[in-house]
Amino acid sequence: MYNFTIKDLFSLKDSIAAPLFEGATYPFEVLPKIGGFIKQLGPTLDPEIYELRGKDIWIAKSALIAPTASITGPCIIGENTEVRHCAFIRGNALVGNNCVVGNSTELKNVVLIGSVQVPHYNYVGDSVLGMRSHMGAGSITSNVKSDKTLVTVKVGNERIETGLKKFGAVLGDGVEVGCGSVLNPGTVIGQNTNIYPLSSVRGFIPANSIYKNAGEVVTKR
């Protein structure tokens, strides 16, 4: 078993997303289940905290939603989350508490577990972002291979089959992605790792690392 299992990457305590991950080993396994999970969870949410604001769209009353944001269900937006000007949430988006979805950021088929920041011109598709992870301005996930074949995760000289045509990235808790970076299909980044700006990242990057380029990944001191 490779060390990018769900328990290696995330703290799910107190997250409304936690039941989605039950029975799964690797986080990419939940990607096809996000929409259905939201539809099941939404009607059970506390009406004192959440309100229904459209078809399969549940938004916490404490969330701050810009009037110019576009939100399509199924979608849940958690407590004290801010969705800024011209954000585009295309559906199958589970956005946890205390998150920031910024100006012109686009989300599709994603889980933002909690306290996640995607604040400036980000595209996040078919991805899972852990607690307190942050994507710098203009950094994106690329979720489909150019040859349209199924996505694999490269670990050293091995390739792990996901069985998915669309899979962007998984960020463990506390990951920092530098501005202008591209996370290629099947990228998995371990907890508390930093990605240098303008990086092109692919495969598995271990926890507690600094990614400078594909040939230079160092362990934090």
Side-chain angles (χ1 to χ4, degrees):
M1 182 177 292
Y2 300 94
N3 57 344
F4 54 84
T5 66
I6 290 165
K7 66 179 182 179
D8 292 323
L9 292 164
F10 308 127
S11 171
L12 294 167
K13 184 180 179 182
D14 301 324
S15 171
I16 61 171
L20 173 63
F21 294 86
E22 292 177 358
T25 300
Y26 298 108
F28 55 77
E29 295 172 25
V30 309
L31 294 177
K33 304 175 183 179
I34 296 171
F37 176 77
I38 292 171
K39 290 181 180 180
Q40 289 183 330
L41 178 62
T44 72
L45 295 171
D46 186 346
E48 295 296 316
I49 299 174
Y50 288 86
E51 58 186 359
L52 184 66
R53 295 203 196 173
K55 182 173 174 56
D56 298 324
I57 300 171
W58 292 269
I59 298 178
K61 296 177 183 179
S62 61
L64 181 61
I65 310 297
T68 53
S70 174
I71 303 174
T72 301
C75 179
I76 293 173
I77 296 176
E79 298 177 74
N80 302 307
T81 283
E82 182 181 2
V83 179
R84 294 176 177 167
H85 175 67
C86 289
F88 183 26
I89 300 177
R90 290 171 47 198
N92 294 348
L94 178 52
V95 181
N97 298 339
N98 305 302
C99 294
V100 175
V101 180
N103 173 31
S104 302
T105 290
E106 181 177 348
L107 303 181
K108 190 272 292 187
N109 199 51
V110 296
V111 179
L112 277 55
I113 291 175
S115 300
V116 174
Q117 294 192 345
V118 283
H120 308 290
Y121 304 101
N122 305 110
Y123 173 69
V124 188
D126 301 283
S127 298
V128 181
L129 277 55
M131 289 287 294
R132 302 176 309 282
S133 58
H134 171 258
M135 294 184 66
S139 60
I140 65 168
T141 65
S142 173
N143 58 334
V144 181
K145 295 174 66 176
S146 59
D147 61 6
K148 307 300 187 293
T149 57
L150 298 181
V151 177
T152 60
V153 179
K154 185 178 180 182
V155 185
N157 293 322
E158 297 186 59
R159 294 185 181 272
I160 312 305
E161 301 290 339
T162 70
L164 300 172
K165 184 177 179 181
K166 293 186 177 182
F167 168 28
V170 171
L171 308 187
D173 293 347
V175 167
E176 289 278 345
V177 178
C179 296
S181 294
V182 176
L183 308 181
N184 289 283
T187 294
V188 180
I189 303 175
Q191 292 189 358
N192 303 312
T193 283
N194 290 62
I195 306 296
Y196 266 28
L198 300 177
S199 294
S200 178
V201 188
R202 187 183 306 276
F204 173 58
I205 311 302
N208 302 303
S209 298
I210 299 173
Y211 180 99
K212 299 181 178 182
N213 55 60
E216 191 175 5
V217 181
V218 299
T219 301
K220 288 183 178 180
R221 295 179 179 178

